[in-house]
Each structure stands twice: as structure tokens, then as C-alpha cells.
Amino acid sequence: MSSIDVTPPAQEAQLSRWDRSEATATLAAYEQRPPEQSQREFAREKDVARGTLQHWKARKDGLDADPLVAEFFESPQGLAVVHRLVAAAHFIFSQVGPCGVRLLSLFLILSRLDRVVAASRGSQHKVAVAIEELITEFGRGERERLSATMEPKTISVCEDETFHRGRMCLVGIEALSNFILLEKYSPRRDEQSWNTAMQGALEGLQVELAQALSDEAKGLVAHARNGLGVEHGADLFHVQYEMGKGTTVSLARRVQRAEEELEKARAEVQRRLDQRSPSQSVPLAEGQTEALEQRVALAREAEQQALAALHEAEEMRLQAKEAIRAVGQSYHPVRLEDGHLRSAAELETELTEQFDRIEGVALLTGLSESCWGHITKARRLIPKMVATLAFFFERMRLALSSLQLEPQLDTLVRQKLVPGLYLQRVAEQAKGAERKSELRKRASDILAEAHAASGPLQSLPPERRELIEQTARRCAEMFVRSSSCVEGRNGQLALHHQSVHRLSDRKLTVLTTIHNYFLRRPDGSTAAERFFGSKPQDLFEWLLDRLDLPARPARKRPRKSPNLL
């Protein structure tokens, strides 16, 4: 049961002028008053009605909890703990996570915090609404504050749309920082809708768009080229997705059928071996032994053929998988094997070889027309992937030419410093400790050559060297090859939508704010810090300072007996 409050409703209205923190602090001061000071004198000194003071004392003494627990929770320190606990539960369970108000109320009841906090769904719904409004206010304020001091920068944006029970959500994320620029419901997804939404998302930001990455939807392509006036880059995520869609399922089924045929062949071999067993009670007739041996030999031959078919099917599936992976390995401006720059012509040759390889698998395995359609759709993007790499090299040339480097230093920066910094970036994104270690080692070796004590870079003044380093790092970060960050965000939104069945515009704004200003990478940085270049305020502490203290539980009123007459 919750705490018992015997205060009549009329008196509660009179007492409501006292803030809970003030009442708690005053009661704590009353209980610690000097022994010679009477209750009446204390009430007069604190300008509080004596009856009010007596009510507070009775309410504390009537709390349904251990006396030590009651003493703590009715102290200023205990109230601060309760305030932080309730705010943290709402923030983590309901805002960061997909929990609803019903479960939050249950949490308060099971933790017995309902003795000191109003735990009804109505009360907690008011808290949830207040938190969402404060988070929304925080996001607006921090964006305005941080954008006023950010340095101008050139960015690439990844775009896509997702659907929530018929509602269309447009999503745009800055590729490098993972900062959500746009997350908004829209009735349409045509070029004009994207233009309007992105124009509002970029308003007030010191950024210049260089390219946009997305799938090949006509509205998105037109929006990038006509609305934003930037290069529409090829998206590796969708290229590999189409290649996998055209091969993975069909080849896996082929392997499964080959395994089933092998099991049948082995069962047949065993059946024939059992027929020739000498333990049979009926002796074999003359000539039957030779016939059974021939049948066993035929069954073993069929088993070997089934095993060969299985090996062939597995080999075809492995070749397709390696070709898809090789496309991703090739789509870099730097060769991961040795750190040398990869030219656009070299990339075209490597991509063509991998698609020829996967088409060869499709021919040998007799893939269906629909599978060929997916492979062909992906292959049509080779020219765009090559153009994206060429666009990167042009941007790098313009960036480095602004430094006016001498030829020897320019070559060093292009061939050593930028590749080494790019490999550092790739190493952090690689999967597996061994692969990460290998790429880090290669990047370290290349950067060591760039920073050699006898090299031209170390002979420069520190300010000049720092400028070159910063420019080279920006060049290494220019190449964006995938919009997978948007696909991941769409999956997160789907989980939140699934739990509440509908995301309001305010809730969507809250989720965007939490992603940008609260969630952190392993290095401790938020998306806002990476995007704006300076740290935002602590979202939860800001929220805690402005959120009202939790309301007390309502007075338990006796239930009326049902009228049985």
C-alpha cells in the first residue's frame, strides 16, 4: 500500500502552495530544532501554519515504510534521490528505450517508490509529457547555441525514407559525425518534399553540401542533383544488397537441395549394404550376391556424385560471397593491401572483374530471371561508383591546391599522409580484432614515413604543419561510400514504433535529440560534438534541473460498499 494521507481535500488545497522541496526542508529543520524551541515558536519563525507543520509530521510518521527508509525519503537528500530515480527511469526506459508509461508505473510499485511518488498512469503520463517537452526545448536551444560557434565545414548527407503504419518519415544523416539533420514525417517523398524538408534542416548551419548518398529512387536522385545541386554518390550498401538478393537465397537453396540429395544417397548405400549382410536368416540364392554388390557399387557412385554436387554448390556460394565482399574491399580510394592510392580506372577494372565473376556463378548455377535482374541492377551502378571516386580525387586536389605546397611535399601529402589517415579511419570501422590490428599497423607504418624526421613535413613551422595535417585529415574523411547509417537509424525507429504503435511528431523530435546529444560512441563523443566541433550540455542534468519534483501519492480513500438492494 502507498502512504496514508488523512488530509481532507479542502486542507490539501490550502497546503498546495508549499513546494515539496520547501516542505521537506522545513520539516527536516523542525525535527532538528533546539529542544527549548516550541512548535509554535518554530512555526512563527518559518512563517508556516502550525496545523500545516503538524500535517507534514503526521504524513511522515504514517508513511508505509521502515522508519529509517521513511526518514531518508522524507529528507532533502532523499527527495533528491527520488527525483533523480524517477527522472532517470523515465529518460532511459521511456525515451532512450521503448518502454511505456504502464511499465513505468509498475516499476514504481514493485520498487515501492509508490510510497513517496504518485505511481498512477495518469500521474506518470504527465511526467512523460513534461520530459518530452523539455527534451524538445533542449534540442532547439543546443542546435542554436552550437551552430552559432561552429566553423564552416563541407559535409556529405545520407538520405532515405522509412514507413510507420502508412506514415512516411524522411531521414537525413551527416555521414561522418552520424548527426541527424532531418527526421520528419511527410505526406510525400518526391523531389519537392525532400527539397523543402532538407532546406529547413540546414537552416542556420554553417555547412556546405558536397554530395548526397541514397538508393536510386528517382525523387532522391533528382533532389540531390536539382534541389541540393550536389553529386549523387553511389551507395555501396545498396549495391551489395542487390548482389546478395540476386544470389544468396538461390545459392543457399541449391546447397540445401544438394545436402538433401547426399543424405538420400547415403541412406540408399546403407540400405544396399544391409541387403547383402550375411546375418540375414534367409540364405542368398545363386547370383544374388553379385547383383547386390553391383547395386552397392551403383549406390556408392551416386553418393560420390551427390557429394561432388554439394561441393560444387558450396563452391559457387563461396565464390558469390567473396565477389560481394571484394566489391566492398575495392570501393576505397586507398588500396587496403598496401596503402597506395587507387585510381578510378583501377576501380572500374576491379569492379568489372567481380561482377563478371558473380555473373559466371549465375550462369553455371542457372539462376532465375529475377535473380539476374538484381545482379544487372547492381552492375549498372559501376559507372556511378567510378564517378564518385573521381569526384573524391577532384575534391582532394582542390583542397590540397589551396595549401600551395611545393612538389615534393605535395607528393608526400597525397601518397602518404592522406592514405595513412584514411587507413586509420577504416581500421576503426573494420570487423574483427585481427583485421583492425592489421590495418592499424599498416596505417602507422605509412604515417611514420610521412612524419619522418628527415622528411619535408617535419621541417615546417608547427602552425604550417598543423594546417597541412588538418587539411589532409579532412581529405581522408571526404570519401563516403555507404548510407548504412540511415538504414540502421530506420531499424531503431521501427523498434520504437513497434512498442507504441505510433510515433507522434513530438516523440520523433525527442528521439532525434537523444540520438544527437545523448548517445555516445566508445570514445565518449556525441554526434553533436562531432558535427559542431564543441561539446553540448549534459542533456540529463539539464533535464533534471528543470523537471518538477515528483508528485506525492494521492490520499487513499475508502471504497464505497456496493449497493446490493
Side-chain angles (χ1 to χ4, degrees):
M1 294 180 59
S2 298
S3 60
I4 300 176
D5 191 344
V6 295
T7 309
Q11 188 177 351
E12 281 284 359
Q14 296 177 357
L15 298 175
S16 61
R17 70 184 181 88
W18 285 91
D19 179 79
R20 183 172 182 178
S21 61
E22 294 177 343
T24 303
T26 303
L27 180 60
Y30 165 72
E31 293 178 334
Q32 297 173 6
R33 75 191 189 283
E36 64 273 10
Q37 187 180 27
S38 67
Q39 186 183 83
R40 190 182 304 275
E41 290 174 341
F42 180 87
R44 186 182 305 112
E45 178 185 326
K46 297 297 183 182
D47 193 22
V48 58
R50 186 182 178 193
T52 301
L53 195 60
Q54 292 172 341
H55 160 70
W56 291 343
K57 178 62 174 173
R59 180 172 58 191
K60 177 179 178 180
D61 294 340
L63 194 65
D64 183 18
D66 183 274
L68 292 178
V69 174
E71 182 68 29
F72 174 73
F73 281 126
E74 287 298 326
S75 68
Q77 296 80 8
L79 180 59
V81 170
V82 170
H83 181 41
R84 181 174 288 271
L85 280 175
V86 173
H90 268 276
F91 185 74
I92 297 299
F93 297 159
S94 187
Q95 305 304 331
V96 179
C99 177
V101 172
R102 185 193 301 273
L103 294 181
L104 275 168
S105 297
L106 183 59
F107 165 77
L108 294 176
I109 293 171
L110 293 180
S111 63
R112 296 192 175 182
L113 288 173
D114 63 327
R115 271 67 171 173
V116 292
V117 174
S120 67
R121 291 176 59 191
S123 299
Q124 292 307 307
H125 176 72
K126 292 179 182 178
V127 177
V129 170
I131 288 178
E132 290 183 358
E133 290 176 347
L134 285 172
I135 293 175
T136 302
E137 179 186 343
F138 176 88
R140 287 196 300 263
E142 283 300 277
R143 175 189 166 98
E144 182 178 350
R145 184 181 70 87
L146 295 175
S147 61
T149 58
M150 73 178 297
E151 296 183 0
K153 60 190 303 185
T154 302
I155 64 172
S156 298
V157 61
C158 302
E159 299 174 319
D160 198 9
E161 61 273 331
T162 186
F163 299 88
H164 301 149
R165 297 188 67 178
R167 302 186 73 196
M168 191 181 311
C169 182
L170 308 183
V171 182
I173 300 179
E174 199 276 315
L176 184 62
S177 66
N178 204 33
F179 183 85
I180 298 178
L181 296 166
L182 170 65
E183 201 162 58
K184 179 181 179 181
Y185 284 116
S186 172
R188 299 173 63 84
R189 54 173 173 169
D190 57 0
E191 176 187 353
Q192 186 57 45
S193 299
W194 271 105
N195 291 343
T196 303
M198 187 55 69
Q199 182 179 1
L202 297 176
E203 185 176 356
L205 299 178
Q206 303 296 321
V207 298
E208 177 186 357
L209 284 181
Q211 64 176 335
L213 277 80
S214 69
D215 56 27
E216 294 301 303
K218 293 181 180 179
L220 281 168
V221 174
H223 155 66
R225 293 175 176 172
N226 304 328
L228 300 179
V230 299
E231 180 79 9
H232 181 260
D235 183 6
L236 176 65
F237 175 86
H238 288 93
V239 171
Q240 292 182 312
Y241 172 77
E242 293 295 338
M243 294 175 72
K245 197 171 181 180
T247 58
T248 302
V249 175
S250 296
L251 295 179
R253 288 175 179 170
R254 191 167 183 266
V255 171
Q256 183 180 7
R257 289 194 297 267
E259 290 174 344
E260 292 172 354
E261 291 298 324
L262 179 59
E263 289 299 321
K264 291 180 181 179
R266 286 174 173 170
E268 179 65 16
V269 170
Q270 188 60 45
R271 190 175 71 86
R272 293 301 183 185
L273 290 174
D274 292 342
Q275 287 180 350
R276 75 173 190 180
S277 174
S279 61
Q280 292 181 355
S281 57
V282 180
L284 297 176
E286 186 178 354
Q288 282 185 324
T289 301
E290 183 179 352
L292 287 176
E293 289 294 341
Q294 291 178 353
R295 290 170 186 170
V296 169
L298 291 174
R300 289 192 183 280
E301 183 179 353
E303 179 187 11
Q304 293 301 315
Q305 292 175 352
L307 183 61
L310 175 59
H311 289 164
E312 181 185 0
E314 290 176 339
E315 177 65 22
M316 293 296 101
R317 183 172 64 172
L318 180 60
Q319 287 188 24
K321 186 177 180 179
E322 289 178 348
I324 295 173
R325 184 185 295 113
V327 168
Q329 294 292 320
S330 297
Y331 196 39
H332 289 282
V334 176
R335 292 206 302 261
L336 304 185
E337 301 80 16
D338 53 21
H340 293 165
L341 293 177
R342 175 183 278 107
S343 67
E346 183 181 353
L347 174 64
E348 183 175 15
T349 300
E350 293 182 13
L351 293 178
T352 302
E353 289 176 355
Q354 300 308 324
F355 273 95
D356 289 344
R357 184 180 177 186
I358 205 166
E359 287 182 354
V361 171
L363 282 172
L364 290 174
T365 56
L367 293 184
S368 65
E369 185 176 346
S370 62
C371 293
W372 272 98
H374 291 293
I375 298 173
T376 303
K377 181 179 179 180
R379 181 159 193 156
R380 285 200 298 266
L381 293 176
I382 290 180
K384 179 173 282 191
M385 297 173 74
V386 174
T388 300
L389 185 63
F391 174 70
F392 162 76
F393 282 122
E394 177 61 19
R395 289 178 63 197
M396 185 175 74
R397 184 189 67 80
L398 293 174
L400 296 181
S401 63
S402 64
L403 298 174
Q404 298 180 349
L405 304 175
E406 60 183 31
Q408 183 182 5
L409 183 57
D410 182 78
T411 301
L412 178 71
V413 172
R414 291 175 187 273
Q415 297 184 0
K416 297 298 180 181
L417 188 56
V418 173
L421 293 172
Y422 183 84
L423 285 180
Q424 270 189 345
R425 176 186 165 200
V426 174
E428 297 306 314
Q429 300 171 346
K431 294 182 179 180
E434 183 178 351
R435 182 60 170 167
K436 283 180 179 290
S437 177
E438 176 188 347
L439 291 173
R440 286 171 180 165
K441 176 66 167 56
R442 190 165 298 129
S444 177
D445 292 342
I446 295 174
L447 290 176
E449 296 181 38
H451 294 102
S454 59
L457 189 61
Q458 293 301 314
S459 63
L460 298 175
E463 298 81 6
R464 176 66 169 168
R465 187 167 62 247
E466 179 65 22
L467 176 61
I468 294 174
E469 292 271 2
Q470 291 178 356
T471 305
R473 189 172 299 277
R474 285 199 299 270
C475 290
E477 295 170 348
M478 285 179 184
F479 186 74
V480 181
R481 63 188 194 131
S482 175
S483 67
S484 57
C485 59
V486 180
E487 301 298 334
R489 181 58 181 174
N490 291 345
Q492 292 176 349
L493 290 179
L495 291 176
H496 281 277
H497 180 268
Q498 184 179 10
S499 78
V500 297
H501 305 296
R502 184 181 185 276
L503 293 178
S504 64
D505 292 337
R506 183 181 66 203
K507 182 66 173 180
L508 186 62
T509 303
V510 168
L511 295 176
T512 305
T513 303
I514 290 174
H515 173 94
N516 287 339
Y517 299 97
F518 179 75
L519 301 182
R520 300 177 184 273
R521 283 182 177 173
D523 62 1
S525 65
T526 62
E529 180 182 351
R530 297 188 296 270
F531 180 74
F532 292 108
S534 55
K535 288 186 176 182
Q537 299 181 71
D538 189 296
L539 171 55
F540 181 71
E541 295 299 331
W542 185 94
L543 171 69
L544 192 66
D545 290 341
R546 290 158 179 79
L547 185 66
D548 291 339
L549 292 172
R552 289 186 179 276
R555 178 170 63 92
K556 297 297 181 180
R557 296 173 176 84
R559 294 184 179 180
K560 294 182 179 180
S561 300
N563 188 358
L564 302 179
L565 298 181

